[in-house]
Amino acid sequence: METKVSNAPDPYLSHWADAAATKTLAAHPEATRVTVAAGITPSGVVHIGNFREVITVDLVARALRDRGVDVRFIYSWDDFDVFRKVPKNMPKQALLAEHLGRSIVDVPDPYGEHDSYASHHIAAFEGSLAPLGIHPEFIRQSRRYRAGEYADGIRRALAQRDTIRDILNDARERTGARSRLPDDWLPLYGFCDACKRDTLEFTVLDDGDDARVGYKCTSCGHAAEVELARGGNIKLPWRVDWPMRWAAEQVAFEPGGKDHSSAGGSYDTAQHIVRDVYGGWAPEYVGYDFVRVKGRGGKISSSSGDVVTVADCLQIYEPEVLRWIFVGTRPNRELQISFDLDVIKLYEDYDRTRRLAYSAPAEGGKKAERAEKKRLAAQRTMQLSSVDHRRVEDGARMPFQPQFRHLSMILQIHDGDIDGALHYYEQTGEITDDEDRRLCRQRARCVWNWIERYAPPDFRYRIREAPITRALTPDQATVLGRLVAVLRARPDIDEPSLIPHMKTLCDDTELSNKDFFPLAYDLLIDRPKGPKLTTLVTTMGGARALALLSPSLG
RNA sequence: GGGCUCGUAGCUCAGUUGGCAGAGCGACGGACUUUUAAUCCGUUGGUCCCAGGUUCGAAUCCUGGCGAGCUCACCA
């Protein structure tokens, strides 16, 4: 009997990435090694929307490896594409504009840091993937093409150009397009060896074993013959390029944006081309929706101005939380990245899932069965969200991670001093080991970045640097005097000891704590409200508080 | 014109081979009072878009509508 891919899979493997893995294995039951692929054109800043492509593949790769499959994860940089438009967010617009019509790998880096425009954006993005635990095998298509590695792929496309044209025209017909490819259409694209522009008129000289094409450049008049086997600046157009590479790399899974996904779109025609021209098969496919950004401008588009990168997100989101946002959203749903107050909610949701993952197994009854299912799903979610793909084991201690809101308060009391905030959590006994410390530090960095760059003004405060004096009513003077007396007696008082004093502070006066607190906050942080006063005072230190509180007493 | 996705509580959404409609937030009530949109406990909440069909049984599968959004047909 043949072994099936499992009809009743491990209930733990219940994530959508696991379902995609099951489908992929079902399509290739004989494979010992499975190739999964992502690909992006670095035609501008590579943004968080592009990231969805990569993380989708990364998750499926993990799911496949969890089944014991040997996985090859390739990431194709389509850096041999043409530079069509100068993005508004680039420096040296005029310089870049001169290079329109050339390959992005032949356009200079306007920042002067890398060997090309493409390389600049590639380096930035690759650098931001590493902290997320994503390590694909990067392939630069410009190098493959120029080295002649796709010569046979191009030759076959030329030899069967009528088949390809028919497939593409059929798709146009089915979708009601007006135009058709002419009979002399060729599946070729490329750049002039002299002026580097894409204004070439091709002729096929030989589509057999010694395949050669000739071209004439309409920009500079240069004419040449290219032996495909030697490589050069000749490539296939996208709709043919994609299926050619599926066959070359034996790709078993590759997602695509929704713009590729509809009937008559590139995935549709590529499916036919890979089968009829290359004798291969199309990868299992997941179409994913776009990523929307909230709280930081609206649209993501590399050609318009404001883009949000993975690195931008990592300023605010821990790697695990950023992964979790993508892990928790099915690919076909639109996903939203927020920089406003929603950040807090996202962190709280993440923490809740995390607590559920570390909770004790539920037992007995059908209700418990459901709860157990959710607990396992939370564990799977946490594993896929983790950087090192470590599974949450039953009974494991959950490392400490401070609440976002609370940490934002502690950090502000410490003027953003992360070590100071860590010290606070060490004193409370919540940080107990290096892992706790690492997680706390990591979150503190994100919280502080958020406070400084995105938090609404209401959320921010600073402890006054210089004391001020306020005119006090007799009652206010009495109450403030009592607080000052307490702090003078014990400048190093801890919070539990201070709380009882707060309860008797206003005795025998017309005031209540509620009336008095605004004055205290005003003196300490120049605001009418603030974090819990006892936490504020004990965390900033009695001496520092005294210096700000006592001057008004005259 | 072709195609895809979605429509479930006030809001955001789960609901994975058809089997008692769920979570978070909100709202309401209570406790606490130690105030950034604090914490804890409790309550509330639904014509699963509509109409048919299959089935012992449908949010789930099929058909047909309605509504919303996206996408292709130029290039990548």
Side-chain angles (χ1 to χ4, degrees):
Chain A
M1 297 250 71
E2 62 174 341
T3 48
K4 278 191 179 173
V5 171
S6 167
N7 221 354
D10 184 344
Y12 176 69
L13 303 177
S14 60
H15 192 261
W16 55 259
D18 293 310
T22 303
K23 253 176 64 182
T24 304
L25 290 177
H28 305 283
E30 76 294 344
T32 55
R33 190 174 206 216
V34 169
T35 297
V36 298
I40 287 166
T41 301
S43 56
V45 174
V46 184
H47 52 73
I48 189 69
N50 301 128
F51 176 66
R52 196 164 194 180
E53 164 112 0
V54 191
I55 183 87
T56 300
V57 180
D58 181 63
L59 294 174
V60 174
R62 286 186 179 198
L64 285 165
R65 290 192 180 113
D66 285 344
R67 303 285 186 91
V69 179
D70 183 18
V71 178
R72 179 172 179 243
F73 176 5
I74 58 175
Y75 185 106
S76 177
W77 280 118
D78 297 334
D79 63 346
F80 209 27
D81 291 346
V82 65
F83 188 46
R84 182 168 299 285
K85 207 172 161 188
V86 181
K88 288 181 187 143
N89 57 351
M90 287 295 133
K92 304 191 182 170
Q93 293 272 316
L95 169 83
L96 288 174
E98 288 170 26
H99 294 277
L100 290 171
R102 295 187 170 129
S103 166
I104 51 175
V105 80
D106 286 330
V107 175
D109 174 11
Y111 297 92
E113 295 165 356
H114 296 85
D115 62 18
S116 73
Y117 180 85
S119 295
H120 179 88
H121 299 302
I122 287 171
F125 191 70
E126 287 186 5
S128 63
L129 288 184
L132 290 159
I134 299 174
H135 306 285
E137 174 186 336
F138 294 103
I139 295 173
R140 292 188 60 155
Q141 295 304 333
S142 61
R143 293 181 188 157
R144 287 281 165 99
Y145 269 114
R146 283 177 164 165
E149 291 181 38
Y150 294 141
D152 190 55
I154 300 175
R155 186 194 61 74
R156 288 167 84 148
L158 288 178
Q160 298 190 64
R161 52 188 182 261
D162 293 344
T163 308
I164 294 172
R165 191 187 59 234
D166 287 349
I167 289 170
L168 296 179
N169 275 336
D170 178 58
R172 291 184 178 202
E173 178 139 9
R174 279 185 289 128
T175 56
R178 294 187 205 96
S179 66
R180 296 288 182 277
L181 295 170
D183 288 347
D184 61 353
W185 176 84
L186 292 172
L188 282 176
Y189 197 85
F191 305 94
C192 173
D193 294 309
C195 74
K196 308 284 189 194
R197 305 217 187 254
D198 67 341
T199 46
L200 304 185
E201 288 177 350
F202 292 103
T203 42
V204 177
L205 304 172
D206 185 344
D207 59 14
D209 290 341
D210 302 314
R212 284 178 303 131
V213 299
Y215 70 79
K216 184 167 198 287
C217 177
T218 58
S219 293
C220 71
H222 181 70
E225 287 186 11
V226 180
E227 269 183 71
L228 292 185
R230 295 182 158 226
N233 289 315
I234 306 293
K235 71 187 290 283
L236 293 170
W238 162 248
R239 278 182 184 254
V240 187
D241 172 70
W242 202 20
M244 181 274 289
R245 280 166 17 214
W246 287 347
E249 305 287 359
Q250 302 275 293
V251 178
F253 175 83
E254 180 166 354
K258 57 200 292 180
D259 48 337
H260 297 289
S261 309
S262 63
S266 51
Y267 180 78
D268 183 5
T269 54
Q271 253 181 318
H272 291 93
I273 293 172
V274 72
R275 190 187 60 214
D276 296 349
V277 175
Y278 294 104
W281 26 261
E284 294 306 303
Y285 186 80
V286 165
Y288 56 88
D289 208 320
F290 298 138
V291 176
R292 209 162 284 275
V293 174
K294 185 164 173 261
R296 210 197 132 152
K299 255 189 99 175
I300 299 184
S301 162
S302 31
S303 60
S304 80
D306 195 33
V307 297
V308 173
T309 65
V310 172
D312 292 334
C313 294
L314 285 174
Q315 294 292 312
I316 305 302
Y317 291 105
E318 304 166 3
E320 291 84 355
V321 176
L322 185 60
R323 287 187 64 102
W324 175 79
I325 291 168
F326 287 82
V327 168
T329 311
R330 295 210 309 260
N332 66 353
R333 308 288 294 212
E334 188 175 293
L335 178 150
Q336 185 172 288
I337 291 276
S338 301
F339 288 83
D340 58 12
L341 235 33
D342 284 357
V343 171
I344 299 175
K345 182 175 159 21
L346 246 21
Y347 269 90
E348 285 175 349
D349 287 349
Y350 168 82
D351 287 346
R352 187 180 302 111
T353 305
R354 189 161 172 270
R355 283 196 299 274
L356 178 57
Y358 280 95
S359 65
E363 279 175 33
K366 281 188 178 170
K367 223 167 196 176
E369 213 169 279
R370 283 186 187 176
E372 182 60 7
K373 221 171 167 180
K374 286 189 177 178
R375 195 182 69 95
L376 285 177
Q379 287 189 341
R380 181 60 166 160
T381 298
M382 290 313 296
Q383 182 181 24
L384 290 169
S385 302
S386 72
V387 170
D388 58 5
H389 201 57
R390 194 171 359 172
R391 181 171 179 169
V392 174
E393 301 292 345
D394 285 348
R397 179 188 83 97
M398 181 172 80
F400 171 68
Q401 218 163 1
Q403 286 183 15
F404 192 96
R405 206 183 279 274
H406 189 252
L407 182 51
S408 81
M409 181 178 85
I410 298 303
L411 271 171
Q412 292 189 82
I413 294 175
H414 287 89
D415 292 323
D417 175 26
I418 290 177
D419 288 323
L422 254 58
H423 184 64
Y424 169 84
Y425 285 110
E426 276 163 6
Q427 283 200 319
T428 62
E430 289 166 289
I431 288 181
T432 59
D433 62 16
D434 285 347
E435 177 66 356
D436 291 346
R437 198 167 290 113
R438 184 186 72 80
L439 288 172
C440 192
R441 179 180 294 279
Q442 174 176 277
R443 182 163 289 192
R445 283 201 194 98
C446 292
V447 169
W448 188 246
N449 285 335
W450 182 77
I451 292 283
E452 292 227 294
R453 298 176 202 185
Y454 304 107
D458 285 358
F459 220 90
R460 297 185 218 179
Y461 62 86
R462 276 283 169 103
I463 292 167
R464 284 188 189 273
E465 287 181 15
I468 53 146
T469 56
R470 290 277 188 246
L472 305 179
T473 66
D475 275 350
Q476 283 178 324
T478 304
V479 176
L480 182 59
R482 285 172 181 164
L483 178 57
V484 165
V486 170
L487 294 176
R488 280 215 172 106
R490 292 181 59 191
D492 58 345
I493 191 169
D494 63 12
E495 188 167 5
S497 311
L498 182 57
I499 287 175
H501 291 290
M502 303 304 286
K503 293 186 179 176
T504 58
L505 222 49
C506 295
D507 288 358
D508 307 319
T509 69
E510 299 287 305
L511 299 175
S512 69
N513 278 4
K514 206 171 178 179
D515 302 318
F516 168 67
F517 282 168
L519 171 65
Y521 287 121
D522 179 33
L523 294 175
L524 293 171
I525 60 172
D526 193 14
R527 297 189 69 88
K529 288 172 30 169
K532 197 160 81 176
L533 196 58
T534 50
T535 312
L536 178 61
V537 167
T538 54
T539 307
M540 70 191 283
R544 199 171 163 200
L546 274 172
L548 296 171
L549 293 174
S550 51
S552 295
L553 291 170

